[in-house]
Amino acid sequence: MSKKLNILMVASEMVPFAKEGGLADVVGSLSRELVRLGHDVRVVIPRYLTINAQRFNLKLAVSHVPVPMGVIGEMGCSVWQCPIDDTEGGRGVVYAIEHHQLFSRDGGFYSNINGDGYMDNDNRFIFLCRASIELCKHVGFRPDCIHVHDWHTAAVPVLVNTDYRDEPTVGSSATLLTIHNLQHQGEFDEGVMDVLGIGWEHFHIRGLEKDGNTNLLKGGIYHATIVNTVSECYASQIQTPEYGFELDGVLRDRTDDLYGIVNGVDYEEWDPQTDKMIAANYNADDLSGKTICKADLQGSFGLPKRADVPVIGLVTRLVKQKGVDILAEAIHSLLEYDIQVVLLGTGEVWANFYFGDLPNQYPDKFACYIGYNNTLAHKIEAGADFFLMPSLFEPCGLNQMYSLRYGTIPIVRAVGGLDDTVENLNVKEDVGTGFKFDDLNVGALIDTVGWAIYTYYNQKRVMEAMIQRAMKRRFSWADAAMKYVELYNKAINKRKGN
Ligand code: ADP
Ligand code: GLC
């Protein structure tokens, strides 16, 4: 086995402590898997209000770590810790950075209850980045590689290359930046450079400057030793103007150091054979439990308990990325089919109201829960026949992979990770695990759902074979974690100049 590495992971979310999206799943599962592989893994996250010390068995690790914040001056945090869950007793620690004013808030992690981003998100996440480096100094942890995720922690590679370049603990560490979502870049006014405190010589077009602003993600892309994203398809798509969110040129500049690794699935949580949140367990050899789950799902959502009707499930943030505006346009036509649709999600205010009102118009056909609910997410994965993801873009996507495992056939737009993980049905060649469409428009969405429903009603054998193939697909974190270790080693060699 390869050399054991010291890995520092810095992120804004991590399961089970704090989750708004798939980023949390990835940080939680990947760090645990790395511990299992024998590496010394330290994960740094903010201590949000909901991260209760008792519930997570947190102990005070350091009562005061000074954190220099450029023109703001010196601030400080305390740090709480607990072990990373690992049955084989490997080494791993989660550090939660406590700063009441910055992180202990009533709303979400990034925005208030009305959905408006916090005005001081720049300071909050620069603070997290600086605190994680200062913590390494304080506890004497020398990372071989520092792995950061999305814009919130993208300042770490920048700081390592600049202010901390000659610092013995992190100065020679390699850095890996994983992009989970290019849309959010952490772009703030130019004055943020003075909070970063690294000198204005780094404010230029091949550094942190974008359109006269400070763009933290862009800085991270230029400064990280290696960059990756969460599927191969998305890694190539983000280098095009269509999916590049104006950073495609920057990513093309780094094309030689840009990789794609598809996320894994936590099969300890998402497995219909052992799932405790669903009405009955089942596997590919005996699907009778799935029929029970379907009736339970219909009952839970107040829909008529019909075994014969195809149920289409959605679990999603209700934002443009997920194609919900197209879905909103298409939904009335879709509901002309003999189907039931069950939606779980929350997001933009218009979408919450729009979808929240549909059950009044279609009480026997459309049901939803506007909000976040993990048990319902499991019930939908198990009880639906199809799972719909009409995404505008999708770096990886986790739900389609859960769906495959639950024998719930995905209907997806062929973008990013959806394209990499779902194979289109081809009846003649007897292959395929789902239904795919290329263009994001109402017609394509209706046609593809129509194709799925036609198959359900008229080609039972095709459906059965597809379910069998889907349930056999595996996206293991053990494989993905090994690919990450390869990237860490590549980054370490590159940093050493080999
Ligand atoms: P993204 O991170 O872009 O939202 P992913 O598919 O990677 O998309 O991950 C979404 C994760 O969040 C999945 O684990 C999914 O089950 C979960 N999720 C999303 N919305 C909800 C919700 N309303 N209730 C419960 N779980 C949700
Ligand atoms: C982001 C992406 C999603 C991906 C997740 C985890 O939230 O939108 O596609 O699965 O990160 O990598």
PDB file of all heavy atoms in Angstrom, residues 19 21-23 25 270 315-317 321-322 344-346 371-374 377 389 394 397-399 402, ligand 1:
ATOM      1  N   LYS A  19     -25.477  19.711   6.866  1.00  0.00           N
ATOM      2  CA  LYS A  19     -25.701  19.382   5.460  1.00  0.00           C
ATOM      3  C   LYS A  19     -26.759  20.273   4.835  1.00  0.00           C
ATOM      4  O   LYS A  19     -27.853  20.406   5.360  1.00  0.00           O
ATOM      5  CB  LYS A  19     -26.141  17.914   5.342  1.00  0.00           C
ATOM      6  CG  LYS A  19     -26.671  17.558   3.955  1.00  0.00           C
ATOM      7  CD  LYS A  19     -26.789  16.079   3.727  1.00  0.00           C
ATOM      8  CE  LYS A  19     -27.656  15.801   2.500  1.00  0.00           C
ATOM      9  NZ  LYS A  19     -27.757  14.399   2.163  1.00  0.00           N
ATOM     10  N   GLY A  21     -26.418  20.185   1.071  1.00  0.00           N
ATOM     11  CA  GLY A  21     -26.428  19.471  -0.215  1.00  0.00           C
ATOM     12  C   GLY A  21     -25.409  18.356  -0.234  1.00  0.00           C
ATOM     13  O   GLY A  21     -24.879  17.953   0.808  1.00  0.00           O
ATOM     14  N   GLY A  22     -25.141  17.871  -1.451  1.00  0.00           N
ATOM     15  CA  GLY A  22     -24.278  16.701  -1.629  1.00  0.00           C
ATOM     16  C   GLY A  22     -22.846  16.913  -1.167  1.00  0.00           C
ATOM     17  O   GLY A  22     -22.159  15.942  -0.843  1.00  0.00           O
ATOM     18  N   LEU A  23     -22.389  18.161  -1.114  1.00  0.00           N
ATOM     19  CA  LEU A  23     -21.048  18.447  -0.615  1.00  0.00           C
ATOM     20  C   LEU A  23     -20.830  17.812   0.757  1.00  0.00           C
ATOM     21  O   LEU A  23     -19.778  17.212   1.029  1.00  0.00           O
ATOM     22  CB  LEU A  23     -20.855  19.980  -0.532  1.00  0.00           C
ATOM     23  CG  LEU A  23     -19.652  20.491   0.250  1.00  0.00           C
ATOM     24  CD1 LEU A  23     -18.348  20.072  -0.392  1.00  0.00           C
ATOM     25  CD2 LEU A  23     -19.702  22.016   0.369  1.00  0.00           C
ATOM     26  N   ASP A  25     -22.306  15.182   2.025  1.00  0.00           N
ATOM     27  CA  ASP A  25     -22.191  13.729   1.896  1.00  0.00           C
ATOM     28  C   ASP A  25     -20.775  13.351   1.471  1.00  0.00           C
ATOM     29  O   ASP A  25     -20.185  12.405   1.979  1.00  0.00           O
ATOM     30  CB  ASP A  25     -23.169  13.198   0.831  1.00  0.00           C
ATOM     31  CG  ASP A  25     -24.612  13.410   1.235  1.00  0.00           C
ATOM     32  OD1 ASP A  25     -25.098  12.678   2.096  1.00  0.00           O
ATOM     33  OD2 ASP A  25     -25.263  14.321   0.682  1.00  0.00           O
ATOM     34  N   TRP A 270     -27.657   4.101   2.110  1.00  0.00           N
ATOM     35  CA  TRP A 270     -28.575   3.976   0.974  1.00  0.00           C
ATOM     36  C   TRP A 270     -28.552   2.565   0.405  1.00  0.00           C
ATOM     37  O   TRP A 270     -27.913   2.307  -0.620  1.00  0.00           O
ATOM     38  CB  TRP A 270     -28.215   5.010  -0.100  1.00  0.00           C
ATOM     39  CG  TRP A 270     -28.356   6.419   0.375  1.00  0.00           C
ATOM     40  CD1 TRP A 270     -27.375   7.216   0.885  1.00  0.00           C
ATOM     41  CD2 TRP A 270     -29.567   7.205   0.396  1.00  0.00           C
ATOM     42  NE1 TRP A 270     -27.891   8.455   1.227  1.00  0.00           N
ATOM     43  CE2 TRP A 270     -29.226   8.472   0.935  1.00  0.00           C
ATOM     44  CE3 TRP A 270     -30.887   6.962   0.004  1.00  0.00           C
ATOM     45  CZ2 TRP A 270     -30.174   9.500   1.104  1.00  0.00           C
ATOM     46  CZ3 TRP A 270     -31.818   7.978   0.175  1.00  0.00           C
ATOM     47  CH2 TRP A 270     -31.466   9.224   0.717  1.00  0.00           C
ATOM     48  N   VAL A 315     -36.370  14.505  -5.519  1.00  0.00           N
ATOM     49  CA  VAL A 315     -35.841  15.032  -4.258  1.00  0.00           C
ATOM     50  C   VAL A 315     -34.783  16.039  -4.664  1.00  0.00           C
ATOM     51  O   VAL A 315     -33.760  15.665  -5.232  1.00  0.00           O
ATOM     52  CB  VAL A 315     -35.187  13.921  -3.403  1.00  0.00           C
ATOM     53  CG1 VAL A 315     -34.632  14.512  -2.101  1.00  0.00           C
ATOM     54  CG2 VAL A 315     -36.163  12.796  -3.114  1.00  0.00           C
ATOM     55  N   THR A 316     -35.030  17.305  -4.397  1.00  0.00           N
ATOM     56  CA  THR A 316     -34.124  18.285  -4.990  1.00  0.00           C
ATOM     57  C   THR A 316     -34.186  19.647  -4.320  1.00  0.00           C
ATOM     58  O   THR A 316     -35.220  20.019  -3.759  1.00  0.00           O
ATOM     59  CB  THR A 316     -34.474  18.456  -6.489  1.00  0.00           C
ATOM     60  OG1 THR A 316     -33.567  19.378  -7.077  1.00  0.00           O
ATOM     61  CG2 THR A 316     -35.892  18.953  -6.703  1.00  0.00           C
ATOM     62  N   ARG A 317     -33.071  20.360  -4.400  1.00  0.00           N
ATOM     63  CA  ARG A 317     -33.150  21.779  -4.083  1.00  0.00           C
ATOM     64  C   ARG A 317     -33.949  22.427  -5.210  1.00  0.00           C
ATOM     65  O   ARG A 317     -33.734  22.101  -6.392  1.00  0.00           O
ATOM     66  CB  ARG A 317     -31.738  22.382  -4.022  1.00  0.00           C
ATOM     67  CG  ARG A 317     -30.926  21.893  -2.832  1.00  0.00           C
ATOM     68  CD  ARG A 317     -29.571  22.568  -2.743  1.00  0.00           C
ATOM     69  NE  ARG A 317     -28.678  22.134  -3.808  1.00  0.00           N
ATOM     70  CZ  ARG A 317     -28.120  22.945  -4.707  1.00  0.00           C
ATOM     71  NH1 ARG A 317     -28.357  24.239  -4.656  1.00  0.00           N
ATOM     72  NH2 ARG A 317     -27.316  22.497  -5.642  1.00  0.00           N
ATOM     73  N   GLN A 321     -30.583  25.386 -11.214  1.00  0.00           N
ATOM     74  CA  GLN A 321     -29.636  24.318 -11.569  1.00  0.00           C
ATOM     75  C   GLN A 321     -30.337  22.988 -11.793  1.00  0.00           C
ATOM     76  O   GLN A 321     -29.942  22.180 -12.619  1.00  0.00           O
ATOM     77  CB  GLN A 321     -28.591  24.158 -10.452  1.00  0.00           C
ATOM     78  CG  GLN A 321     -27.614  22.994 -10.705  1.00  0.00           C
ATOM     79  CD  GLN A 321     -26.849  22.572  -9.458  1.00  0.00           C
ATOM     80  OE1 GLN A 321     -26.770  23.305  -8.486  1.00  0.00           O
ATOM     81  NE2 GLN A 321     -26.272  21.388  -9.490  1.00  0.00           N
ATOM     82  N   LYS A 322     -31.392  22.753 -11.031  1.00  0.00           N
ATOM     83  CA  LYS A 322     -32.043  21.443 -11.061  1.00  0.00           C
ATOM     84  C   LYS A 322     -33.140  21.364 -12.118  1.00  0.00           C
ATOM     85  O   LYS A 322     -33.902  20.398 -12.177  1.00  0.00           O
ATOM     86  CB  LYS A 322     -32.607  21.120  -9.675  1.00  0.00           C
ATOM     87  CG  LYS A 322     -31.548  21.135  -8.580  1.00  0.00           C
ATOM     88  CD  LYS A 322     -30.502  20.033  -8.767  1.00  0.00           C
ATOM     89  CE  LYS A 322     -29.421  20.093  -7.697  1.00  0.00           C
ATOM     90  NZ  LYS A 322     -28.411  19.035  -7.821  1.00  0.00           N
ATOM     91  N   LEU A 344     -40.152  16.212  -3.233  1.00  0.00           N
ATOM     92  CA  LEU A 344     -39.634  16.665  -1.938  1.00  0.00           C
ATOM     93  C   LEU A 344     -38.551  17.689  -2.224  1.00  0.00           C
ATOM     94  O   LEU A 344     -37.603  17.402  -2.951  1.00  0.00           O
ATOM     95  CB  LEU A 344     -39.030  15.474  -1.185  1.00  0.00           C
ATOM     96  CG  LEU A 344     -38.148  15.777   0.022  1.00  0.00           C
ATOM     97  CD1 LEU A 344     -38.936  16.437   1.144  1.00  0.00           C
ATOM     98  CD2 LEU A 344     -37.500  14.485   0.539  1.00  0.00           C
ATOM     99  N   GLY A 345     -38.714  18.883  -1.688  1.00  0.00           N
ATOM    100  CA  GLY A 345     -37.676  19.879  -1.952  1.00  0.00           C
ATOM    101  C   GLY A 345     -38.000  21.221  -1.349  1.00  0.00           C
ATOM    102  O   GLY A 345     -39.111  21.481  -0.899  1.00  0.00           O
ATOM    103  N   THR A 346     -36.993  22.048  -1.358  1.00  0.00           N
ATOM    104  CA  THR A 346     -37.180  23.417  -0.919  1.00  0.00           C
ATOM    105  C   THR A 346     -36.129  24.266  -1.615  1.00  0.00           C
ATOM    106  O   THR A 346     -35.104  23.756  -2.035  1.00  0.00           O
ATOM    107  CB  THR A 346     -37.065  23.526   0.622  1.00  0.00           C
ATOM    108  OG1 THR A 346     -37.169  24.899   0.987  1.00  0.00           O
ATOM    109  CG2 THR A 346     -35.753  22.987   1.150  1.00  0.00           C
ATOM    110  N   GLY A 371     -39.772  21.311   1.979  1.00  0.00           N
ATOM    111  CA  GLY A 371     -38.933  21.327   3.170  1.00  0.00           C
ATOM    112  C   GLY A 371     -37.862  20.264   3.027  1.00  0.00           C
ATOM    113  O   GLY A 371     -37.729  19.655   1.958  1.00  0.00           O
ATOM    114  N   TYR A 372     -37.123  20.066   4.090  1.00  0.00           N
ATOM    115  CA  TYR A 372     -36.030  19.096   4.074  1.00  0.00           C
ATOM    116  C   TYR A 372     -36.400  17.942   4.987  1.00  0.00           C
ATOM    117  O   TYR A 372     -36.801  18.151   6.125  1.00  0.00           O
ATOM    118  CB  TYR A 372     -34.745  19.783   4.559  1.00  0.00           C
ATOM    119  CG  TYR A 372     -33.534  18.930   4.356  1.00  0.00           C
ATOM    120  CD1 TYR A 372     -32.781  19.039   3.202  1.00  0.00           C
ATOM    121  CD2 TYR A 372     -33.156  17.986   5.307  1.00  0.00           C
ATOM    122  CE1 TYR A 372     -31.673  18.230   2.986  1.00  0.00           C
ATOM    123  CE2 TYR A 372     -32.051  17.178   5.106  1.00  0.00           C
ATOM    124  CZ  TYR A 372     -31.320  17.310   3.958  1.00  0.00           C
ATOM    125  OH  TYR A 372     -30.231  16.509   3.745  1.00  0.00           O
ATOM    126  N   ASN A 373     -36.332  16.704   4.484  1.00  0.00           N
ATOM    127  CA  ASN A 373     -36.726  15.573   5.313  1.00  0.00           C
ATOM    128  C   ASN A 373     -36.050  14.296   4.796  1.00  0.00           C
ATOM    129  O   ASN A 373     -36.418  13.761   3.744  1.00  0.00           O
ATOM    130  CB  ASN A 373     -38.259  15.436   5.267  1.00  0.00           C
ATOM    131  CG  ASN A 373     -38.755  14.385   6.224  1.00  0.00           C
ATOM    132  OD1 ASN A 373     -38.216  13.285   6.288  1.00  0.00           O
ATOM    133  ND2 ASN A 373     -39.783  14.719   6.980  1.00  0.00           N
ATOM    134  N   ASN A 374     -35.072  13.827   5.547  1.00  0.00           N
ATOM    135  CA  ASN A 374     -34.267  12.690   5.078  1.00  0.00           C
ATOM    136  C   ASN A 374     -35.081  11.396   4.998  1.00  0.00           C
ATOM    137  O   ASN A 374     -34.912  10.595   4.083  1.00  0.00           O
ATOM    138  CB  ASN A 374     -33.051  12.512   6.001  1.00  0.00           C
ATOM    139  CG  ASN A 374     -32.017  11.578   5.400  1.00  0.00           C
ATOM    140  OD1 ASN A 374     -31.804  11.558   4.184  1.00  0.00           O
ATOM    141  ND2 ASN A 374     -31.382  10.790   6.243  1.00  0.00           N
ATOM    142  N   ALA A 377     -36.976  11.375   1.904  1.00  0.00           N
ATOM    143  CA  ALA A 377     -36.074  11.143   0.757  1.00  0.00           C
ATOM    144  C   ALA A 377     -35.873   9.641   0.559  1.00  0.00           C
ATOM    145  O   ALA A 377     -35.924   9.130  -0.568  1.00  0.00           O
ATOM    146  CB  ALA A 377     -34.736  11.847   0.988  1.00  0.00           C
ATOM    147  N   MET A 389     -34.623  13.887 -12.848  1.00  0.00           N
ATOM    148  CA  MET A 389     -33.605  14.931 -12.626  1.00  0.00           C
ATOM    149  C   MET A 389     -33.339  15.681 -13.932  1.00  0.00           C
ATOM    150  O   MET A 389     -32.417  15.344 -14.676  1.00  0.00           O
ATOM    151  CB  MET A 389     -32.298  14.305 -12.106  1.00  0.00           C
ATOM    152  CG  MET A 389     -32.435  13.691 -10.726  1.00  0.00           C
ATOM    153  SD  MET A 389     -30.907  12.933 -10.110  1.00  0.00           S
ATOM    154  CE  MET A 389     -29.944  14.344  -9.617  1.00  0.00           C
ATOM    155  N   GLU A 394     -25.149  19.516 -13.812  1.00  0.00           N
ATOM    156  CA  GLU A 394     -25.086  18.643 -12.634  1.00  0.00           C
ATOM    157  C   GLU A 394     -23.665  18.118 -12.472  1.00  0.00           C
ATOM    158  O   GLU A 394     -23.254  17.191 -13.170  1.00  0.00           O
ATOM    159  CB  GLU A 394     -26.063  17.474 -12.791  1.00  0.00           C
ATOM    160  CG  GLU A 394     -26.346  16.730 -11.502  1.00  0.00           C
ATOM    161  CD  GLU A 394     -26.996  17.632 -10.452  1.00  0.00           C
ATOM    162  OE1 GLU A 394     -28.208  17.926 -10.567  1.00  0.00           O
ATOM    163  OE2 GLU A 394     -26.281  18.045  -9.530  1.00  0.00           O
ATOM    164  N   GLY A 397     -24.238  14.761  -8.838  1.00  0.00           N
ATOM    165  CA  GLY A 397     -25.597  14.307  -8.518  1.00  0.00           C
ATOM    166  C   GLY A 397     -25.495  12.997  -7.753  1.00  0.00           C
ATOM    167  O   GLY A 397     -24.770  12.079  -8.174  1.00  0.00           O
ATOM    168  N   LEU A 398     -26.186  12.920  -6.649  1.00  0.00           N
ATOM    169  CA  LEU A 398     -26.152  11.695  -5.846  1.00  0.00           C
ATOM    170  C   LEU A 398     -27.450  10.908  -5.984  1.00  0.00           C
ATOM    171  O   LEU A 398     -27.456   9.686  -5.982  1.00  0.00           O
ATOM    172  CB  LEU A 398     -25.925  12.048  -4.369  1.00  0.00           C
ATOM    173  CG  LEU A 398     -24.576  12.710  -4.058  1.00  0.00           C
ATOM    174  CD1 LEU A 398     -24.523  13.193  -2.610  1.00  0.00           C
ATOM    175  CD2 LEU A 398     -23.432  11.749  -4.326  1.00  0.00           C
ATOM    176  N   ASN A 399     -28.553  11.632  -6.125  1.00  0.00           N
ATOM    177  CA  ASN A 399     -29.847  10.942  -6.089  1.00  0.00           C
ATOM    178  C   ASN A 399     -30.046   9.921  -7.207  1.00  0.00           C
ATOM    179  O   ASN A 399     -30.696   8.904  -6.999  1.00  0.00           O
ATOM    180  CB  ASN A 399     -30.981  11.962  -6.118  1.00  0.00           C
ATOM    181  CG  ASN A 399     -31.192  12.566  -4.750  1.00  0.00           C
ATOM    182  OD1 ASN A 399     -31.447  11.851  -3.787  1.00  0.00           O
ATOM    183  ND2 ASN A 399     -31.073  13.871  -4.651  1.00  0.00           N
ATOM    184  N   TYR A 402     -28.415   6.844  -5.939  1.00  0.00           N
ATOM    185  CA  TYR A 402     -29.266   6.173  -4.944  1.00  0.00           C
ATOM    186  C   TYR A 402     -30.404   5.443  -5.668  1.00  0.00           C
ATOM    187  O   TYR A 402     -30.732   4.302  -5.353  1.00  0.00           O
ATOM    188  CB  TYR A 402     -29.905   7.170  -3.959  1.00  0.00           C
ATOM    189  CG  TYR A 402     -28.969   8.078  -3.196  1.00  0.00           C
ATOM    190  CD1 TYR A 402     -29.430   9.303  -2.700  1.00  0.00           C
ATOM    191  CD2 TYR A 402     -27.658   7.726  -2.948  1.00  0.00           C
ATOM    192  CE1 TYR A 402     -28.597  10.141  -1.987  1.00  0.00           C
ATOM    193  CE2 TYR A 402     -26.815   8.574  -2.230  1.00  0.00           C
ATOM    194  CZ  TYR A 402     -27.292   9.788  -1.764  1.00  0.00           C
ATOM    195  OH  TYR A 402     -26.477  10.634  -1.059  1.00  0.00           O
TER     196      TYR A 402
HETATM  197  P1  ADP B   1     -26.905  19.026  -4.696  1.00  0.00           P
HETATM  198  O1  ADP B   1     -25.745  18.887  -3.777  1.00  0.00           O
HETATM  199  O2  ADP B   1     -26.589  19.843  -5.906  1.00  0.00           O
HETATM  200  O3  ADP B   1     -28.136  19.491  -4.029  1.00  0.00           O
HETATM  201  P2  ADP B   1     -26.789  16.119  -4.920  1.00  0.00           P
HETATM  202  O4  ADP B   1     -27.620  15.195  -5.721  1.00  0.00           O
HETATM  203  O5  ADP B   1     -25.326  15.943  -4.999  1.00  0.00           O
HETATM  204  O6  ADP B   1     -27.245  17.595  -5.298  1.00  0.00           O
HETATM  205  O7  ADP B   1     -27.100  15.943  -3.380  1.00  0.00           O
HETATM  206  C1  ADP B   1     -28.299  16.278  -2.796  1.00  0.00           C
HETATM  207  C2  ADP B   1     -28.369  15.580  -1.464  1.00  0.00           C
HETATM  208  O8  ADP B   1     -29.278  16.286  -0.644  1.00  0.00           O
HETATM  209  C3  ADP B   1     -28.882  14.178  -1.561  1.00  0.00           C
HETATM  210  O9  ADP B   1     -28.332  13.408  -0.516  1.00  0.00           O
HETATM  211  C4  ADP B   1     -30.389  14.360  -1.375  1.00  0.00           C
HETATM  212  O10 ADP B   1     -31.032  13.213  -0.912  1.00  0.00           O
HETATM  213  C5  ADP B   1     -30.420  15.470  -0.373  1.00  0.00           C
HETATM  214  N1  ADP B   1     -31.600  16.339  -0.433  1.00  0.00           N
HETATM  215  C6  ADP B   1     -31.812  17.371  -1.280  1.00  0.00           C
HETATM  216  N2  ADP B   1     -32.983  17.981  -1.000  1.00  0.00           N
HETATM  217  C7  ADP B   1     -33.511  17.313   0.051  1.00  0.00           C
HETATM  218  C8  ADP B   1     -34.713  17.463   0.815  1.00  0.00           C
HETATM  219  N3  ADP B   1     -35.602  18.415   0.542  1.00  0.00           N
HETATM  220  N4  ADP B   1     -34.929  16.602   1.828  1.00  0.00           N
HETATM  221  C9  ADP B   1     -34.027  15.626   2.097  1.00  0.00           C
HETATM  222  N5  ADP B   1     -32.890  15.429   1.424  1.00  0.00           N
HETATM  223  C10 ADP B   1     -32.625  16.273   0.418  1.00  0.00           C
END
